[in-house]
């Protein structure tokens, strides 16, 4: 059971330092004026220090055996969370920013610099990037497989479903914590979810990006490297001109008519083909020199989970679990930190490219 | 009964007769002329006659990420559907060193249908799912081994839909959409 200790720093308790030993992953999300910190463990041995309610932090409490909540005060505006692996523990640092930018225009930049392994390789702009929600409001992350479906099983016993869930949770924590973009996970535990439901979660949450995280298998034991896949035609009937029926006029509540663009569910992705390919390219670019890429790094196929996605969408295959060396590497925190950071940077790059296109 | 009612009833009657002719009568007529999906017969004569054709069969490339075409002798089939069956039987048979097959071990062909429009249905046994390793790459290679084996060698085959144990399936291992027939794809062939 991980032992979790909390420390509050700064005159107005603007920094919360949480050490979990042994190393434990966690995610931070902002919900209903609280920060919800969820640890990847079965239970926690947690000690919460006593303190008076402050303008930034009102209270810290345990929600359930693996979740803590930081109740925020009236002066809270945004937060930044970073994780840093220490010798025998994982350190989660949460910086709370004060509202009232007019009196403190440099507040975010003046926050104490956060030292963390992944952030050190990131462009300097990251450290100061507080929610500049520039065209990206929500991202859907899909951890492949789950429940009865283990996905690929490595020789040493690694299950794809577990590996990808850990990565998806950490990418979520990084994007929400540092960019303030809402991230929806299609699954946050070990359960089996129909493929159509995964895409539906992305569509119903109006996600602007969909990334499905997987680990690959090869019939050759030596195949290695990551690849990024986008949906490609190939199904019979697509080429023969089955298309969107286009806009139709439908009655609205309260009278009147409205034009609604009808898109067949299984063809939703076709109009995003170009941007999905572009997203795949950005991820490939960010992986370059950091995450080993396979000989064919970007490809397309009629991929079920992507075809109905109503937004740019890709599958990221992080490496081959059938390759013993890759299996060990993918389980190592160094690889995972770099992967999370590279995916984070690719999202940032995609967001900026969208801004430029406007 | 007014004159308008008589006209209305006659119109409905005519429509019913026309509908029967279009949707039932005509298909029956054409059905008699043999324009029906053809099913492969049980193994029989042609193999015994010893005639062979050269066919491109597909195996896993050395880098494990693509298929590679290998020319093999396959027993001659009298009809398109019989030839299709012979090709799939040869394709899913154990590959033998140094070739590596993308079709999971133990997979057998249950039946094969070919419509007059060139849509093939290849019904495989459950091993194709139960013995699959998973992973996008391997699933793509398994699917296109079967699809390309038919589309590349038989111009009469336009698309291939995989069935497992006689039923339609969504995917083999959670990645490739099999709910509709797939066309030839050479981007996964080196």
């Amino acid at each position: 059971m991980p032992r979790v200790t909390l420390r509050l720093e700064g005159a107005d308790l603007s920094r919360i330092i949480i050490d979990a030993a042994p190393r434990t992953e966690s995610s931070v999300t902002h919900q209903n004026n609280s920060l919800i910190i969820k640890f990847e463990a079965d239970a926690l041995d947690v000690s919460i220090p006593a303190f008076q309610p402050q303008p930034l932090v009102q209270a810290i409490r345990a929600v359930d055996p693996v979740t803590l909540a930081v109740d925020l005060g009236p002066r809270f505006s945004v937060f930044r969370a970073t994780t840093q692996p220490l010798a025998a523990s994982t350190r989660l640092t949460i910086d709370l920013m004060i509202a009232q930018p007019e009196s403190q225009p440099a507040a975010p930049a003046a926050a104490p610099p956060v030292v963390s392994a992944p952030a050190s390789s990131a462009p300097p702009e990251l450290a100061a990037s507080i929610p500049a929600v520039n065209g990206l409001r929500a991202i859907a992350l899909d951890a492949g497989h789950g429940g009865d479906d283990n996905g690929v099983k490595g020789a040493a016993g690694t299950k794809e479903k577990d590996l990808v869930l850990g990565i998806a949770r950490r990418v979520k924590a990084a994007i929400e914590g540092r960019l303030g973009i809402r991230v929806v996970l299609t699954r946050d535990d070990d359960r089996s979810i129909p493929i159509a439901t995964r895409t539906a979660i992305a569509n119903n949450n109006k996600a602007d990006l969909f990334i499905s995280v997987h680990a690959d298998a090869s019939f050759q034991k030596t195949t290695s490297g990551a690849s990024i896949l986008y949906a490609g035609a190939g199904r019979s009937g697509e080429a023969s001109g089955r298309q969107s029926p286009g806009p139709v006029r439908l009655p609205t509540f309260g009278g009147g008519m409205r034009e609604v663009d009808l898109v067949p569910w299984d063809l939703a992705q076709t109009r995003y083909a170009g941007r999905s390919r572009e997203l795949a390219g950005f991820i490939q670019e960010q992986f370059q020199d950091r995450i080993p890429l396979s000989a064919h790094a970007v490809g397309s196929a009629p991929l079920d989970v992507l075809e109905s996605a109503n937004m740019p969408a890709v599958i990221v295959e992080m490496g081959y679990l059938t390759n013993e060396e890759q299996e060990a590497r993918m389980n190592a925190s160094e690889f995972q930190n770099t992967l999370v950071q590279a995916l984070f940077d690719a999202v940032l790059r995609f967001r900026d490219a969208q801004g430029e296109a406007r | 009964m007014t004159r308008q009612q008589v006209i209305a009833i006659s119109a409905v009657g005519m429509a019913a007769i026309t509908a029967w002719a279009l949707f039932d009568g005509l298909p029956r007529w054409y059905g008699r002329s043999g324009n029906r999906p053809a099913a492969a017969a049980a193994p029989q004569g042609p193999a015994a006659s010893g005639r062979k054709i050269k066919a491109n069969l597909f195996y896993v490339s050395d880098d494990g990420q693509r298929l590679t075409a290998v020319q093999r002798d396959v027993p001659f089939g009298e009809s398109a559907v019989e030839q299709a069956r012979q090709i799939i039987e040869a394709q899913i048979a154990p590959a033998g060193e140094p070739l590596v097959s993308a079709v999971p071990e133990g997979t057998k062909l249950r039946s094969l249908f070919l419509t007059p429009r060139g849509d093939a249905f290849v019904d495989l046994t459950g091993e194709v799912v139960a013995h699959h390793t998973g992973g996008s790459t391997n699933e793509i290679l398994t699917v296109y081994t079967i699809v390309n084996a038919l589309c590349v060698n038989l111009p009469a085959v336009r698309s291939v839909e995989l069935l497992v144990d006689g039923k339609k399936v969504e995917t083999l291992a959670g990645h490739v959409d099999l709910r509709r027939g797939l066309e030839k794809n050479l981007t996964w062939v080196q």
Side-chain angles (χ1 to χ4, degrees), chain A residues 298-317:
Chain A
V298 173
S300 76
L303 295 158
D304 200 1
V305 77
L306 304 181
E307 280 167 345
S308 306
N310 197 26
M311 73 272 315
V314 293
I315 287 179
V316 173
E317 291 282 358

Side-chain angles (χ1 to χ4, degrees), chain A residues 55-72:
Chain A
L56 276 172
V57 194
Q58 300 274 298
I60 300 179
R61 60 198 162 83
V63 180
D64 64 41
V66 293
T67 312
L68 298 176
V70 177
D71 296 328
L72 300 162

Side-chain angles (χ1 to χ4, degrees), chain B residues 82-103:
Chain B
E82 178 56 25
Q83 190 60 71
R85 197 182 63 77
Q86 293 291 356
I87 290 170
I88 294 299
E89 293 280 12
Q91 178 67 74
I92 66 178
E97 295 273 347
L99 298 176
V100 176
S101 173
V103 180

Side-chain angles (χ1 to χ4, degrees), chain A residues 29-261:
Chain A
T29 51
H30 187 189
Q31 289 174 14
N32 303 327
N33 213 32
S34 296
L35 295 182
I36 305 296
I37 307 161
K38 192 166 185 183
F39 292 87
E40 286 174 36
D42 296 325
L44 301 174
D45 172 11
V46 62
S47 56
I48 300 172
F51 63 92
Q52 291 297 315
Q54 299 289 320
L56 276 172
V57 194
Q58 300 274 298
I60 300 179
R61 60 198 162 83
V63 180
D64 64 41
V66 293
T67 312
L68 298 176
V70 177
D71 296 328
L72 300 162
R75 291 191 64 194
F76 169 81
S77 61
V78 292
F79 75 100
R80 180 172 61 200
T82 47
T83 52
Q84 178 186 10
L86 301 180
S89 62
T90 303
R91 170 163 293 179
L92 170 66
T93 307
I94 302 175
D95 286 304
L96 306 172
M97 311 296 172
I98 293 180
Q100 290 180 329
E102 58 280 353
S103 61
Q104 282 176 293
V114 178
V115 181
S116 84
S120 61
S121 59
E125 67 186 82
L126 280 190
S129 56
I130 306 303
V133 186
N134 186 2
L136 283 189
R137 283 154 314 189
I139 295 174
L141 287 179
D142 172 45
H145 311 280
D148 299 337
D149 175 10
N150 289 327
V152 182
K153 234 176 136 186
T158 308
K159 290 178 189 157
E160 180 187 358
K161 65 171 183 177
D162 299 330
L163 185 65
V164 298
L165 178 59
I167 297 291
R169 282 175 175 158
R170 294 185 51 190
V171 176
K172 173 186 161 84
I175 292 175
E176 286 194 333
R178 291 192 256 157
L179 292 181
I181 297 171
R182 189 163 66 95
V183 177
V184 183
L185 294 181
T186 57
R187 69 178 176 99
D188 196 7
D189 51 20
D190 183 18
R191 72 173 70 189
S192 154
I193 300 180
I195 294 172
T197 308
R198 296 169 189 266
T199 324
I201 291 171
N203 289 349
N204 294 340
N205 278 285
K206 300 202 178 339
D208 302 303
L209 270 188
F210 179 79
I211 300 176
S212 183
V213 186
H214 286 254
D216 216 341
S218 171
F219 293 104
Q220 309 281 19
K221 283 188 172 12
T222 53
T223 310
S224 73
S227 44
I228 306 106
L229 301 168
Y230 58 93
R235 294 181 304 170
S236 163
E238 246 156 54
S240 51
R242 194 169 151 259
Q243 282 173 357
S244 155
V248 290
R249 285 175 69 74
L250 295 175
T252 60
F253 283 117
M257 301 290 278
R258 201 178 125 205
E259 277 208 345
V260 174
D261 202 8

